[in-house]
Amino acid sequence: MTVGCGEKKETINVYNWGDYIDKSVLKDFEEEYGIKVNYSMYETNEDLYIKLKQGGSSYDVIFPSDYMIERMIREDLLVKLNKDNIPNIKNIDEKFFNLDFDKDNDYSVPYMWGTVGIIYNKTKVDDVVDSWNILWNEKYKDEIIMLNSQRDTLAVALKKLNYSMNTRNIKELEEAKEQLLIQKPLVYAYLGDEVKGAMVSGEAAFAVVWSGDAVAMIRDNPDLEYAIPKEGTNLWFDSMVIPKSAKNKEGAEKFINFMARPDIAARNTDYIGYSTPIPEAVEMLPEDIRNSKVAYPADEEIENTEIFHDPSDIITEYDRIWTEITSQD
């Protein structure tokens, strides 16, 4: 973009999940720093990875999840951050650092976190919802929405069987596949972002969702409730990183620092419903979100959780199993 007499305006290219930021924050960043933000969106970590590996697109800031960050570090796709340029990192709760996917905190700055669980409509469900098993109850045929995500949906079946969602055991993965094939005739749809509208409008009784989406849905429909199943679930983290292909690392670090400011983090989390890792930002939120056990569960409620690890060593098995599930009539 040119301004004035042919002078080029500084830009950064930001690539994020769909519906995962308050867009007014981008305008404020542009005004404060004089840096134009070219903003685009993806649907899955795998879509992001493929775009990055294919080249041809230069992104300065991206927002991958834990296991994808682990893979990108291993494949040397990310640059180490200059923490001197990101002083607002001090605002982030220390419990969100030194996690397995970036043990030395060299590459990533936490953005949002949460759990995966079951959201259900209390007017349609008269059973106790405390187990993944309820998603296999024939009584609720055509009332169940699953995530259109091979990793998350296989994880649900693995936890139902009391296996690790990070298993490398092919026999266990095959058992999970069989469970999902048994369940498939009961499933109303496999959805991504569309799950929010479907549950708010009462199209189904249950959906597997990320906790942040659950917060937003409950806000729009008080008949909805969220449960973390007793067998355990996924504890996930999305973080901000800079790809090696970035053309404006300094601008990217300014953007990450801006996003880690408590007032900006509060606006983002209030808008999208997801959980911020910045305690000062939590205090700025409306009381219903600040005190939400969905958004901010007690430590004991998330003891029985796992963080996803990179499955690239068995990704061909994941792809095969997911294809066999989705292609079956």
Side-chain angles (χ1 to χ4, degrees), residues 158-171:
L158 287 166
K159 294 313 292 182
K160 175 183 184 288
L161 295 165
N162 291 309
Y163 295 145
S164 168
M165 60 178 60
N166 288 306
T167 184
R168 262 68 181 160
N169 185 312
I170 303 301
K171 179 175 176 291

Side-chain angles (χ1 to χ4, degrees), residues 13-21 23 38-52 59-69 72 78 111 192-193 210 236-241 243:
N13 299 318
V14 177
Y15 200 30
N16 196 1
W17 296 83
D19 202 23
Y20 210 36
I21 196 171
K23 292 283 184 68
N38 296 320
Y39 188 82
S40 53
M41 296 172 285
Y42 55 89
E43 287 192 7
T44 70
N45 280 292
E46 287 67 33
D47 290 344
L48 165 63
Y49 174 78
I50 290 167
K51 199 78 175 282
L52 215 59
Y59 298 110
D60 299 297
V61 183
I62 56 176
F63 294 72
S65 302
D66 33 54
Y67 73 92
M68 189 54 71
I69 293 171
M72 289 176 171
L78 305 179
Y111 178 58
D193 286 339
W210 294 284
W236 57 263
F237 302 90
D238 291 337
S239 299
M240 297 174 282
V241 301

Side-chain angles (χ1 to χ4, degrees), residues 140-158:
Y140 297 106
K141 186 177 189 304
D142 295 327
E143 292 281 354
I144 298 163
I145 296 174
M146 297 293 286
L147 283 169
N148 186 23
S149 161
Q150 65 174 1
R151 190 76 202 271
D152 295 288
T153 296
L154 271 169
V156 168
L158 287 166

Side-chain angles (χ1 to χ4, degrees), residues 17-21 119 145 147 191-204 207-218 220-221 224 271-274:
W17 296 83
D19 202 23
Y20 210 36
I21 196 171
I119 196 162
I145 296 174
L147 283 169
L191 299 179
D193 286 339
E194 314 95 321
V195 68
K196 289 184 274 190
M199 288 303 294
V200 168
S201 64
E203 287 181 41
V208 177
V209 297
W210 294 284
S211 53
D213 283 347
V215 171
M217 288 184 241
I218 291 167
D220 291 338
N221 184 346
L224 300 176
Y271 177 79
I272 65 175
Y274 278 78

